[in-house]
Amino acid sequence: MESSAISLLFSLLRRSSSSNNNSTTSNGGRSESPSPPNPSDYLINLIDSPGHIDFSSEVSTASRLSDGALILVDAVEGVCSQTVTVLRQAWLERLRPLLVVNKMDRLITELKMSPAEAYAYLSRLLEQVNAVMGTFFQGERMEDDLRWRERVERAAEGVRSGEGVTAGGGGGAAPTTTTTSVQQDDEGVVEVKEGETSGAFEEKDDEDIYFAPEKNNVIFSSALDGWAFTVKQFAALYEKKLGIKRAVLEKVLWGDFYLDPKTKRVLGGKHLKGRALKPMFVQLVLENVWAVYEATTGGDKGKGDPELLTKITRSLSISLPPHLLRSRDPRAILTAVFSQWLPLSTAILVSVIEQLPSSPAAQAARMPAIVASSPGADHVDKGITAAMTNFATGEDDPKVAFVSKMVAVRESELPEMRKGRNGVLTAEEARELGRKKRAEIARARAAAAGGEDGAGAVDVVADALGATAIGAEEEPADEGPEKETEDPEHLIGFARLYSGTLAVGDEVYVLPPKFSPAHPHTPPVPQRVTITALYLLMGRSLEPLRRVPAGTVFGVRGLAGAILKSGTLCSALRGGVNLAGVSLASKPIVRVALEPANPADLDKLVRGLRMLEQSDACAEYEVLESGEHVVLTAGELHLERCLKDLRERFARCDVQQGEPIVPYRESIVAAAEMNPPREGKDAPRGKVAAATSSRQVTVRVRVRPLPPAVTAFLVRNGAAVKRLYAERRAAEEARKSGHEVGDGEPADVGRNGDAQRDDIGDDAGEREDGAILSLADFRQKLKEAFAESKAEKDVWASVVDKITAFGPRRVGPNLLIDETKSEACTRVLRDPAATTSEPQPDSSTLTARDFSDKISYAFQLATAQGPLCHEPMQGVAVFLEDVNVHLPADEETSTAREKLGRLTGEVIRTVREGIYQGFLDWSPRLLLAMYSCEIQASTEVLGRVYGVITRRRGRILSESMNEGTPFFTIVALLPVAESFGFSDEIRKRTSGAASPQLLFAGFEPLDEDPFWVPFTEEDLEDLGELADRDNVAKKYMDGVRMRKGMFVQGRKLIKDAEKQKNLKR
């Protein structure tokens, strides 16, 4: 399942407003003939993305290419988790949405609702959708308010320190100044004006973000039956009949408005005076739609009412073909009536044209925010930003295009290959080919006549004649079938052009997702490619183009090898903009090892996996240390799709899959059943003193569990930690070189280039929902998270200033804290400008500071592979309390570098083992990857759904009944390890009446010690000696250890030796 695009040319006939006014005269005389309507042509690039939650990445990649969004909501299922995901993606990309309430026919055929019941149900559905939009607005409003207050406070502090002016205001009011006004614009420029008062916080208007049928941003449809309508369409139908202006009808057809049958006046709910009138939407809209269903598919036998059908067709001036009336096929008649009365395409495309912004208007509104959020936004060329914002389409304007993904297309489907397919040419193509070849032969003869080298001229003519041979393309007859069966895949970029005009043969730079205009030449260096072909995307087919103007969604060829998944095409390298920072709604969580059934096909499998990784936005491919080829997917359905593509398209060989590899996390807690501390009964828990094998270095560490609030904060703000490392390294390199890093100059030097480049750009590929925190904000919020811990406040009071490293991979939710008196390690959360350069110690002696990088590296190793089953740690704090160096007297003559080289491996191993021992001194826990499961089921199958969830160790979070329907919405948490085959089992148990939606919801601890064994008499009596079978945590841990080839304690390789036999016997 992949998102596909199609370009539609839609012609709309419109009458000018002057012709409408001249159609009737003011004196009641004969009306003038209206002028003919003016046709207007619109090009609509429609991108269709799959709705399953496993393919949310397709929605993410398509959102950056679009100017608006059509949000489809099931009329029966309502707002589900995928609906919220799509709405959030549209909100983050600043897309104007249109709500399409689809499957309206289910309200009639399945739920048997009356028009009044359906109206009440649809009203509640719109309230649910608007509630989701309200949460987005409220969250953004709170962030804006917080940033505004911080700006004003900083500006006020600057004024107080500089001029001694006192700022007033308190409580919940906005900060003000009595004699000095402190203001700041969007670019961060602070202005101080004398004699004025600063204005209050400007509230944003949220009226335009909500869906309301009277605003014509809601479409009611049934794609199965081919009909859709908006309130505006029915307002046009009833304008002449009721004598009410169309603009007025658009406002009153939805809502608490009623039509007086006697006076034909519109009444509000307050003026009913006890009369039982139906809302206008029920009376004028829904009852007519319900009547069509009753006339075609209603009745006792589902054959409809012929008399009512005749009455409806006459009133609507619809003529049905005679063969349909004779066949009496209810579905065919229903589709024919609606296709003439309320065609689906008309309602959708007209709403897109009238409600969604055009490409120039959309780019003018969206581009400033997108450019401002891109990496290195301060270094983007102003001309490029202006060209994108102003929708520049000239050939000399900067060319900027965003490639959201790479699409694999078979060679036989390329337009260039259609002519030569099977060697068959049309008559016109054959004449054109003959004309070109005759011209080539004439030029070759002319060159031969005027040249001195006769042999060379003969060769040229022979080559030209050979190229025109009739059977030249069909000469290798034996290889023809093989070429047809091979049909290799080619990668086409799925792109949108924002400025300029792109033509075949143009040379552009491919900017990778980690590119920053502040360091344009830092590895990986952007490549310069030549556009070899441009295509108009028409679903499964491609149409060749010579040039593409701005605002077009198109396919581009020539990027193979330059783009992995996404990237930006820019005509200029210096000052280029990186548009590839799109956040994926779902990240790959399921890993499966693959191998070919025939070992000789291993090369095919590797090539196929690389092609799959490029063509799928969410799939990833990696090779483990054991040599296994692993593919990472978003879920079970996504995995099935990837395997199908591998077997049929990319690898074209039989592929075998292993057991799914599910990630775990390892953590520690303080539990009542813990064993006494290793160092003694009265010793602090988690404290370990470890010495190297040579007894020359002694390290004392203490391991503690982090407070839950701190762990959650670190998990959410991984991108802030990445940027923190990038800024610190850039500052250190600039300080070492003695000058500031300038534009276009690499921030890294020498061998650290790759590591520095990774830190600078990782936040572009994994951008989080909120803004990335600065160093000051990160420090402050981390201190607040530590302050929330009620236990051991004295331990966590000054921890933030002592943090040395985050792990694993320098961004994980584990902390290395330096509590040594000599400050053996560098503090990462200190301000680089405030850090003073300390005097270098004597090179002939070794101190604790010489081992700082080794200790940090050991911390990264330990947190990346925990002691339970070599899975990453989470929520662990390692306190480095002391590092002592004891060198024997006979080694004092050797240089420090020689001694350091011998001790490097010993220190790393010792620190890692010490962390492991301190970890196991607490009660260890496994953290399971969890899915948030949402299921809609009726009361008849509710018990079966609960049974399946319980058997797979799931936990029910909530159960709510959908008002107006017999369906319940169940929200549960399900371990990813138990989710394989879950959807199929649910469908089988409920006979297809329930289908789950699974969304990754993070990691949750399994409250069970994997090393716990019964030791009391009661436990032994209840559980027996083999109680490890009931230990779920030990089962998961042993499974991972067996898969990784690690030792499994208590595993019996031979259970009944006397029953085994030889192969010979």
Side-chain angles (χ1 to χ4, degrees):
M1 297 183 182
E2 299 177 350
S3 57
S4 58
I6 187 171
S7 298
L8 305 175
L9 184 61
F10 185 65
S11 296
L12 186 64
L13 299 179
R14 292 181 181 274
R15 285 191 175 91
S16 61
S17 58
S18 58
S19 65
N20 293 334
N21 296 334
N22 292 335
S23 60
T24 56
T25 57
S26 58
N27 57 5
R30 186 175 58 184
S31 62
E32 300 177 8
S33 60
S35 61
N38 300 322
S40 301
D41 294 336
Y42 298 89
L43 178 63
I44 301 175
N45 296 306
L46 184 63
I47 304 175
D48 181 24
S49 57
H52 196 276
I53 204 162
D54 278 3
F55 301 95
S56 298
S57 58
E58 297 290 342
V59 180
S60 303
T61 56
S63 60
R64 180 59 60 91
L65 307 179
S66 306
D67 297 322
L70 289 171
I71 310 295
L72 269 68
V73 177
D74 194 311
V76 176
E77 296 182 1
V79 179
C80 56
S81 56
Q82 179 66 358
T83 309
V84 178
T85 301
V86 174
L87 287 172
R88 181 182 293 110
Q89 189 67 37
W91 177 269
L92 294 176
E93 291 292 334
R94 296 294 188 266
L95 298 177
R96 186 181 299 178
L98 277 178
L99 184 66
V100 181
V101 183
N102 195 26
K103 300 185 181 180
M104 287 278 293
D105 56 293
R106 297 182 63 187
L107 303 180
I108 307 172
T109 57
E110 294 183 17
L111 301 185
K112 308 294 183 182
M113 287 186 178
S114 64
E117 295 172 345
Y119 171 70
Y121 178 78
L122 293 173
S123 301
R124 290 193 296 268
L125 177 60
L126 287 179
E127 291 176 0
Q128 295 174 5
V129 179
N130 288 331
V132 175
M133 299 297 295
T135 58
F136 299 155
F137 175 81
Q138 188 65 22
E140 188 175 86
R141 190 263 179 203
M142 294 176 65
E143 291 182 0
D144 293 342
D145 183 41
L146 179 61
R147 286 194 292 265
W148 177 81
R149 290 181 181 274
E150 291 177 352
R151 288 198 302 264
V152 173
E153 289 175 2
R154 287 196 298 266
E157 290 177 0
V159 171
R160 285 197 300 267
S161 61
E163 300 180 3
V165 179
T166 303
T176 58
T177 56
T178 55
T179 59
T180 303
S181 173
V182 183
Q183 299 178 358
Q184 184 177 16
D185 57 12
D186 295 335
E187 298 179 358
V189 180
V190 178
E191 297 179 359
V192 181
K193 299 181 180 180
E194 295 291 336
E196 297 182 3
T197 303
S198 61
F201 176 73
E202 294 183 2
E203 292 284 353
K204 293 182 179 180
D205 187 10
D206 62 342
E207 183 180 358
D208 295 334
I209 69 172
Y210 298 114
F211 298 102
E214 61 268 20
K215 297 179 182 178
N216 293 309
N217 59 2
V218 180
I219 304 173
F220 304 93
S221 71
S222 171
L224 180 65
D225 296 333
W227 59 267
F229 66 86
T230 60
V231 168
K232 187 175 183 179
Q233 286 180 263
F234 277 91
L237 293 175
Y238 286 106
E239 179 183 12
K240 295 182 180 180
K241 184 175 182 180
L242 299 178
I244 304 175
K245 293 182 179 180
R246 183 183 304 183
V248 177
L249 278 177
E250 292 179 9
K251 301 298 182 183
V252 300
L253 269 181
W254 177 271
D256 193 20
F257 298 99
Y258 304 85
L259 182 64
D260 191 339
K262 297 182 180 178
T263 60
K264 301 295 182 182
R265 294 180 58 188
V266 179
L267 304 176
K270 300 179 181 179
H271 303 284
L272 288 180
K273 298 180 181 180
R275 288 184 293 178
L277 298 180
K278 300 177 183 178
M280 294 183 64
F281 190 77
V282 175
Q283 182 181 0
L284 302 180
V285 180
L286 293 185
E287 286 187 351
N288 292 326
V289 176
W290 260 244
V292 175
Y293 275 90
E294 179 66 24
T296 54
T297 61
D300 298 334
K301 298 182 180 180
K303 296 295 184 181
D305 188 350
E307 297 181 359
L308 181 59
L309 177 62
T310 304
K311 183 178 178 180
I312 291 175
T313 53
R314 288 178 180 175
S315 62
L316 297 176
S317 301
I318 294 176
S319 59
L320 297 178
H323 68 276
L324 279 181
L325 298 175
R326 288 194 301 267
S327 66
R328 298 301 304 161
D329 183 4
R331 302 296 306 177
I333 297 176
L334 176 69
T335 306
V337 172
F338 276 122
S339 63
Q340 299 183 50
W341 180 34
L342 301 173
L344 175 68
S345 59
T346 301
I348 296 294
L349 297 180
V350 171
S351 298
V352 167
I353 292 172
E354 294 181 347
Q355 299 299 322
L356 299 185
S358 61
S359 295
Q363 289 190 197
R366 297 177 60 212
M367 282 301 109
I370 291 178
V371 174
S373 62
S374 64
D378 297 336
H379 300 271
V380 176
D381 189 357
K382 301 300 182 183
I384 293 178
T385 305
M388 298 171 63
T389 305
N390 300 329
F391 197 72
T393 58
E395 295 185 359
D396 298 332
D397 292 318
K399 302 176 177 62
V400 179
F402 172 58
V403 182
S404 65
K405 66 172 185 175
M406 302 297 288
V407 182
V409 180
R410 291 186 175 90
E411 183 175 322
S412 59
E413 297 178 359
L414 294 176
E416 298 91 337
M417 303 301 172
R418 292 177 190 168
K419 297 180 180 180
R421 189 181 302 171
N422 299 328
V424 178
L425 297 176
T426 62
E428 295 181 358
E429 293 171 349
R431 284 193 294 269
E432 181 67 18
L433 180 62
R435 186 187 63 79
K436 293 181 179 179
K437 294 302 180 181
R438 286 192 296 271
E440 292 178 6
I441 293 173
R443 288 195 297 270
R445 287 176 177 173
E452 297 179 359
D453 189 359
V458 171
D459 292 339
V460 173
V461 176
D463 292 341
L465 289 174
T468 59
I470 297 177
E473 296 182 0
E474 299 181 358
E475 183 175 352
D478 297 336
E479 297 179 3
E482 294 182 3
K483 290 185 179 180
E484 289 184 1
T485 55
E486 288 179 4
D487 197 9
E489 301 277 346
H490 295 270
L491 292 175
I492 305 297
F494 190 58
R496 155 81 182 262
L497 188 63
Y498 288 99
S499 66
T501 299
L502 194 64
V504 177
D506 288 349
E507 293 186 353
V508 294
Y509 288 98
V510 178
L511 309 183
K514 297 181 180 181
F515 172 82
S516 175
H519 319 287
H521 300 287
T522 305
V525 179
Q527 301 183 30
R528 188 176 180 89
V529 299
T530 302
I531 304 300
T532 58
L534 297 172
Y535 305 104
L536 186 67
L537 302 174
M538 300 296 293
R540 294 182 59 88
S541 62
L542 303 173
E543 298 297 332
L545 298 173
R546 296 298 304 170
R547 60 183 64 249
V548 172
T552 306
V553 177
F554 62 98
V556 55
R557 190 179 176 191
L559 308 179
I563 289 183
L564 179 60
K565 289 183 179 293
S566 63
T568 307
L569 305 182
C570 190
S571 57
L573 178 60
R574 185 177 297 272
V577 58
N578 182 7
L579 301 176
V582 181
S583 60
L584 297 180
S586 62
K587 296 182 180 179
I589 189 65
V590 178
R591 297 187 298 172
V592 173
L594 304 178
E595 63 178 6
N598 183 6
D601 295 334
L602 181 60
D603 292 339
K604 292 184 179 180
L605 177 63
V606 173
R607 288 195 299 268
L609 286 171
R610 290 174 179 169
M611 182 77 71
L612 174 68
E613 184 183 21
Q614 287 187 274
S615 62
D616 195 305
C618 192
E620 295 182 5
Y621 163 59
E622 64 181 15
V623 181
L624 302 182
E625 295 179 356
S626 59
E628 294 177 293
H629 299 272
V630 174
V631 60
L632 286 78
T633 60
E636 191 176 5
L637 182 61
H638 188 206
L639 174 62
E640 293 178 5
R641 178 65 187 181
C642 290
L643 292 178
K644 184 175 183 294
D645 288 341
L646 274 177
R647 294 187 179 106
E648 297 180 0
R649 298 179 56 188
F650 301 137
R652 298 190 180 181
C653 64
D654 191 10
V655 179
Q656 297 178 352
Q657 68 180 88
E659 292 295 327
I661 304 173
V662 179
Y664 294 89
R665 296 290 184 268
E666 301 180 15
S667 187
I668 52 177
V669 295
E673 70 275 4
M674 291 187 297
N675 295 325
R678 295 175 181 270
E679 299 294 329
K681 188 175 182 180
D682 298 332
R685 186 172 295 276
K687 189 172 184 178
V688 177
T692 60
S693 57
S694 61
R695 304 295 178 180
Q696 295 181 1
V697 181
T698 304
V699 180
R700 190 169 71 246
V701 297
R702 186 177 181 185
V703 180
R704 287 175 177 269
L706 277 175
V710 178
T711 304
F713 174 79
L714 294 176
V715 171
R716 289 194 308 268
N717 294 275
V721 181
K722 293 177 184 178
R723 192 173 72 170
L724 168 67
Y725 272 102
E727 293 176 351
R728 178 164 295 277
R729 284 202 173 191
E732 290 178 357
E733 297 295 345
R735 189 168 60 250
K736 288 179 182 179
S737 58
H739 65 280
E740 296 295 330
V741 180
D743 294 345
E745 184 178 353
D748 52 332
V749 234
R751 59 185 179 86
N752 294 329
D754 294 339
Q756 166 67 11
R757 188 60 201 150
D758 291 341
D759 284 338
I760 289 178
D762 280 350
D763 59 337
E766 299 179 3
R767 189 169 303 279
E768 300 175 3
D769 294 346
I772 299 178
L773 300 177
S774 62
L775 175 60
D777 294 339
F778 183 82
R779 281 172 48 90
Q780 181 62 30
K781 292 186 180 296
L782 186 56
K783 287 182 179 180
E784 295 174 359
F786 275 113
E788 294 179 10
S789 177
K790 298 180 180 179
E792 300 181 336
K793 288 188 176 181
D794 54 336
V795 176
W796 310 109
S798 58
V799 161
V800 175
D801 296 328
K802 301 177 182 179
I803 294 177
T804 296
F806 300 85
R809 298 182 180 180
R810 297 176 297 175
V811 294
N814 304 287
L815 299 179
L816 176 61
I817 301 166
D818 181 14
E819 286 194 338
T820 58
K821 296 180 181 179
S822 61
E823 295 189 7
C825 300
T826 307
R827 313 295 173 87
V828 297
L829 291 185
R830 282 183 179 175
D831 189 1
T835 304
T836 58
S837 58
E838 300 182 1
Q840 296 294 333
D842 187 5
S843 60
S844 62
T845 60
L846 282 181
T847 62
R849 184 172 291 273
D850 294 326
F851 296 98
S852 61
D853 55 340
K854 284 75 180 174
I855 295 173
S856 178
Y857 182 68
F859 168 75
Q860 301 295 338
L861 290 179
T863 54
Q865 294 184 343
L868 298 183
C869 50
H870 282 189
E871 290 291 319
M873 292 185 187
Q874 179 170 313
V876 177
V878 179
F879 291 82
L880 180 64
E881 296 184 347
D882 191 18
V883 179
N884 292 324
V885 181
H886 309 283
L887 293 178
D890 56 348
E891 292 192 7
E892 292 182 356
T893 57
S894 61
T895 62
R897 185 168 298 277
E898 292 178 357
K899 291 179 284 188
L900 185 62
R902 292 198 304 266
L903 294 175
T904 295
E906 295 183 13
V907 172
I908 292 174
R909 182 172 61 253
T910 301
V911 174
R912 185 181 63 177
E913 294 300 328
I915 295 175
Y916 283 172
Q917 293 177 15
F919 183 96
L920 296 176
D921 207 10
W922 297 83
S923 181
R925 291 290 186 271
L926 272 182
L927 275 68
L928 307 182
M930 303 297 290
Y931 273 138
S932 174
C933 175
E934 182 175 325
I935 306 174
Q936 285 203 352
S938 60
T939 54
E940 292 82 4
V941 298
L942 207 57
R944 302 174 190 173
V945 171
Y946 279 5
V948 175
I949 294 176
T950 305
R951 278 196 302 274
R952 293 179 175 266
R953 299 189 178 94
R955 187 174 79 254
I956 305 296
L957 296 181
S958 65
E959 173 194 327
S960 59
M961 186 174 184
N962 300 339
E963 296 184 16
T965 67
F967 295 102
F968 284 82
T969 299
I970 305 167
V971 180
L973 280 179
L974 185 73
V976 176
E978 305 289 343
S979 65
F980 300 100
F982 174 72
S983 301
D984 292 339
E985 185 178 1
I986 282 284
R987 283 190 285 266
K988 289 178 182 177
R989 295 286 183 180
T990 61
S991 301
S995 182
Q997 287 188 337
L998 302 177
L999 180 64
F1000 180 63
F1003 292 88
E1004 183 179 276
L1006 179 61
D1007 193 14
E1008 194 170 0
D1009 191 339
F1011 298 114
W1012 180 85
V1013 292
F1015 57 92
T1016 64
E1017 294 183 2
E1018 296 180 358
D1019 292 339
L1020 289 173
E1021 183 179 353
D1022 293 341
L1023 302 175
E1025 295 181 358
L1026 299 178
D1028 55 342
R1029 295 181 180 177
D1030 299 328
N1031 193 329
V1032 180
K1034 180 174 174 55
K1035 173 187 173 183
Y1036 287 139
M1037 183 184 71
D1038 291 346
V1040 177
R1041 293 181 72 92
M1042 288 177 59
R1043 176 174 57 81
K1044 294 184 176 182
M1046 303 171 63
F1047 173 73
V1048 179
Q1049 186 176 5
R1051 180 187 177 192
K1052 295 183 178 180
L1053 299 179
I1054 301 176
K1055 189 175 182 181
D1056 298 318
E1058 67 276 4
K1059 293 185 178 180
Q1060 296 185 359
K1061 296 181 179 180
N1062 268 329
L1063 294 178
K1064 296 180 180 180
R1065 298 173 60 184

